[in-house]
Amino acid sequence: MQKNYQNLIVGAGISGAVLARLLAENGQSVLVIDKRSHIGGNCYDYTDENGINIHKYGPHIFRTNDEQIWQFLSRFTAWHEYTHKVRSKINNKEVPIPFNFESIDILFDKQKAKIFKEKLLKNYGKNKKVPILELKKFPDADLKELADFIYENVFYHYTLKQWGCEPEELSADTLARVPIYTSYYDGYFTEKYQAIPVPGYTKMFENMLNHPNINIQLNIDFKDLKDINYERLFYSGSIDEFFNYKFNALPYRSLNFRFNTLDQQKFQSVAVVNYTGQETYTRITEFKHFLNQQTQKTTIAYEYPFTFEVGKNKRYYPIPKRENEQLYQKYLELAKKEKNVYFIGRLGEYKYYAMQNAVSAIFKLFKKLNPV
Ligand SMILES: Cc1cc2nc3c(=O)[nH]c(=O)nc-3n(C[C@H](O)[C@H](O)[C@H](O)COP(=O)(O)OP(=O)(O)OC[C@H]3O[C@@H](n4cnc5c(N)ncnc54)[C@H](O)[C@@H]3O)c2cc1C
């Protein structure tokens, strides 16, 4: 094993893997380490004994409007075009999420539904995305009734379960990620490119990391790494852990997945059904929908959110609240004093990054380090 590298990257998730490839193609030597036994970070997937592609750390759908990101990733995988659809069980009826005109038609009588749709169109226009907290403030009795219904049945209990707090405690853009559509559009996302890698995410990362300038070491924690010399460190682990929790631990939500393989071809109509009521789980994912796999059996996962505790479970979502951002800023000040150390990714930057945002941030960093 080589001992001297220009770059050490901690974490083989999408942030670490994309950066490794860019540096390697720039002629630099890179060592990528990960404490897990696999590459891919939280995007890791595998094929189970029934031939179904499973996203181990929760359902992952890639989407972007950015041509450069799409072209870059497409060098390492073929894609299966996939429009993500989510349903929610409300009053024992299955309705599209984001809440749209079809959801209104299903849940309200004809007359009421007509009034709601007309008022939404009149006040917001067609094909718009309306954040629930904005709709809630709208000074009209009908729209207020609709907003209160959606708030209670789609957001309130779900947010309590997902984030462990009331919707109003989160940053506004978090709730705005699931808006109300003023149309019948029933896709969960609206980006131009929406897809799943045909051979899986893990294979895409394997291809990306397959370069003569890149070495990979798995099952090793950064703090246990010995006898390796490097000029620059890129750290996609948690920034508070790096600094030994000097200002307390940054809060995260963790998740528990209960997987179940069923002796039936299909369990539900779409890949993800949200449970927005009092159930203890937030959603059920049925994985075979992602690649439209035809198998005799099916595998589903119930998702249970809970509070992350250092040393006890895994970090999943940074919690987007103002006080947490302030705590992160204190770590960022420490980070700025480090020489040749860069904090990247979801954990390093304490950001609720979707995959394309993580790639975009790496592209920006790489450009900054290598101005043309
Ligand atoms: C449940 C869930 C669903 C999601 N769904 C989507 C989706 O549908 N679409 C989408 O675009 N995004 C989705 N995301 C977001 C996506 O997972 C992230 O954008 C992506 O994982 C960020 O990659 P990363 O490399 O920054 O971090 P990670 O994937 O977390 O990778 C960091 C890696 O660093 C390693 N590491 C940490 N500390 C150390 C250490 N001290 N030593 C060695 N190794 C270390 C970890 O083991 C890990 O492998 C979802 C996230 C979750 C949690």
Side-chain angles (χ1 to χ4, degrees), residues 11 14-15 34-35 42 59-61 221-222 317 346 353 355:
I14 194 165
S15 302
D34 204 299
K35 61 184 177 188
N42 273 9
H60 276 70
I61 300 95
D221 196 303
F222 173 65
Y317 297 112
R346 183 178 66 97
Y353 273 153
M355 288 181 269

Side-chain angles (χ1 to χ4, degrees), residues 115-116 119 122-123 135-147:
I115 294 171
F116 287 155
K119 289 208 169 174
K122 184 167 165 250
N123 292 295
L135 188 63
K136 248 179 135 278
K137 284 188 213 137
F138 201 85
D140 174 276
D142 290 313
L143 287 185
K144 169 118 185 46
E145 182 188 339
L146 177 65

Side-chain angles (χ1 to χ4, degrees), residues 301-312:
Y302 292 77
E303 192 168 325
Y304 300 86
F306 61 97
T307 306
F308 163 77
E309 288 178 78
V310 174
K312 287 199 180 158

Side-chain angles (χ1 to χ4, degrees), residues 9-18 33-44 55-64 84 162 177 188-189 196 201 205 217-224 235-238 241-242 253 255 257 283 290 303 314-318 344-349 351-359 362:
I9 298 180
V10 175
I14 194 165
S15 302
V18 169
I33 66 162
D34 204 299
K35 61 184 177 188
R36 294 182 185 173
S37 60
H38 59 73
I39 60 169
N42 273 9
C43 307
Y44 171 76
H55 300 175
K56 177 169 177 172
Y57 302 100
H60 276 70
I61 300 95
F62 182 76
R63 80 264 179 189
T64 187
H84 191 43
Q162 172 79 354
R177 281 168 191 242
Y188 195 74
F189 302 117
I196 309 282
Y201 287 99
F205 293 120
Q217 230 180 300
L218 297 176
N219 299 308
I220 177 113
D221 196 303
F222 173 65
K223 63 180 183 306
D224 302 322
Y235 191 84
S236 72
S238 195
E241 186 175 313
F242 184 91
R253 290 302 275 173
L255 294 174
F257 294 96
R283 53 183 180 173
F290 290 130
E303 192 168 325
K314 286 194 178 62
R315 297 174 172 92
Y316 278 82
Y317 297 112
I344 59 172
R346 183 178 66 97
L347 306 170
E349 297 178 68
K351 283 214 174 77
Y352 184 41
Y353 273 153
M355 288 181 269
Q356 82 274 16
N357 306 124
V359 178
I362 293 299

